[in-house]
């Protein structure tokens, strides 16, 4: 009963424009910077199922290619955009409306080297 109500509330919160959270998530920071929901999601807001964002969409605004993006983080001790994992989806690490996760952390401890937000 309680769990159902909370799930319903969570769904309402997720689908509203206001993703209230203590730390603004990636999508909110984008909206603040003037990026529209449609720029990540496309114009079809009625599509069913979990919506994700393809790396091509992210790259259209962030350098054009993975290689160009990797240049930006090349001064870091470990480059998260140039590794043996190759050109994986951005959302493996950068989540839209959730806390980010560092995919590398499944196998390495880069907690000193990398700080994803
Ligand atoms: C329509 C253009 C656009 C799209 C699409 C876009 N971004 Fe951005 N992104 C921006 C702008 C503008 C900023 C803020 C200025 C800056 O830091 O470059 C930004 C900032 C960022 C930042 C650094 C600043 C922060 O708040 O963390 C990351 C990381 C990022 N974007 C990742 C992504 C990912 C991942 C995607 C795809 C899921 C994406 N972006 C899609 C335009 C875009
Ligand atoms: C393996 C995890 C991972 C993947 C996959 C990933 N990123 Fe990142 N990204 C990071 C981390 C970690 C940082 C922060 C690096 C730091 O400063 O410690 C970052 C930082 C950034 C920044 C800020 C760069 C700056 O100038 O400081 C942008 C923009 C960004 N990522 C975009 C993308 C886009 C676009 C993709 C997909 C093409 C992507 N990332 C894929 C982990 C990842
Ligand atoms: C920077 C790109 C970006 C922007 C801007 C963005 N989103 Fe998202 N959104 C994502 C990603 C990535 C996902 C996939 C789930 C995740 O990573 O949180 C997603 C998932 C969703 C979902 C599905 C719920 C889920 O977790 O699967 C909804 C609904 C949604 N977004 C609505 C919006 C609305 C409304 C806006 C504008 C206020 C917006 N998004 C802006 C990247 C973005
Ligand atoms: C599924 C497990 C796994 C994941 C996920 C993973 N790695 Fe690795 N990584 C390994 C293994 C295994 C090695 C080789 C053994 C070693 O040297 O530790 C390695 C080696 C490395 C090395 C040193 C060896 C070299 O020559 O490149 C670096 C740097 C590295 N990984 C970075 C990354 C980064 C950055 C990520 C995330 C983008 C990542 N790894 C994700 C398992 C993984």
């Amino acid at each position: 009963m309680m769990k159902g109500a909370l799930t319903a509330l969570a769904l309402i919160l997720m689908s509203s424009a206001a993703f209230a959270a203590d730390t603004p998530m990636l999508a909110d920071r984008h909206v603040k910077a003037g990026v529209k929901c449609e720029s990540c999601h496309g114009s079809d807001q009625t599509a069913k199922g979990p919506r994700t964002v393809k790396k091509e969409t992210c790259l259209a605004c962030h350098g054009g290619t993975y290689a160009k993006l990797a240049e930006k983080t090349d001064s870091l001790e470990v480059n998260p955009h140039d590794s043996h994992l190759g050109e994986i989806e951005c959302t493996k690490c950068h989540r839209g409306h959730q806390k980010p996760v560092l995919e590398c952390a499944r196998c390495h401890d880069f907690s000193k080297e990398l700080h994803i937000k």
Side-chain angles (χ1 to χ4, degrees):
M1 178 73 179
M2 191 61 185
K3 197 163 170 254
L6 285 176
T7 305
L9 180 63
L11 285 174
I12 291 165
L13 288 174
M14 280 305 291
S15 52
S16 79
F19 296 92
D22 295 323
T23 322
M25 297 297 157
L26 187 82
D28 303 288
R29 298 198 301 268
H30 277 78
V31 171
K32 234 179 159 181
V35 176
K36 300 235 183 325
C37 314
E38 293 78 17
S39 300
C40 279
H41 289 298
S43 51
D44 186 7
Q45 295 292 311
T46 61
K48 288 215 177 81
R51 282 185 289 176
T52 192
V53 180
K54 293 263 164 228
K55 64 185 176 200
E56 289 75 18
T57 306
C58 309
L59 283 171
C61 292
H62 291 289
T65 63
Y66 236 106
K68 274 281 172 213
L69 172 68
E71 280 174 19
K72 288 209 162 176
T73 43
D74 209 29
S75 60
L76 298 171
E77 210 171 307
V78 176
N79 192 337
H81 304 127
D82 180 14
S83 79
H84 61 88
L85 292 190
E87 306 194 343
I88 59 174
E89 290 293 331
C90 315
T91 50
K92 283 262 178 196
C93 299
H94 299 282
R95 300 290 169 85
H97 309 272
Q98 302 161 52
K99 276 176 69 179
V101 286
L102 188 65
E103 176 70 4
C104 326
R106 288 203 293 124
C107 309
H108 301 278
D109 179 5
F110 288 144
S111 53
K112 286 203 184 69
E113 291 85 357
L114 297 175
H115 303 99
I116 193 167
K117 54 175 179 137

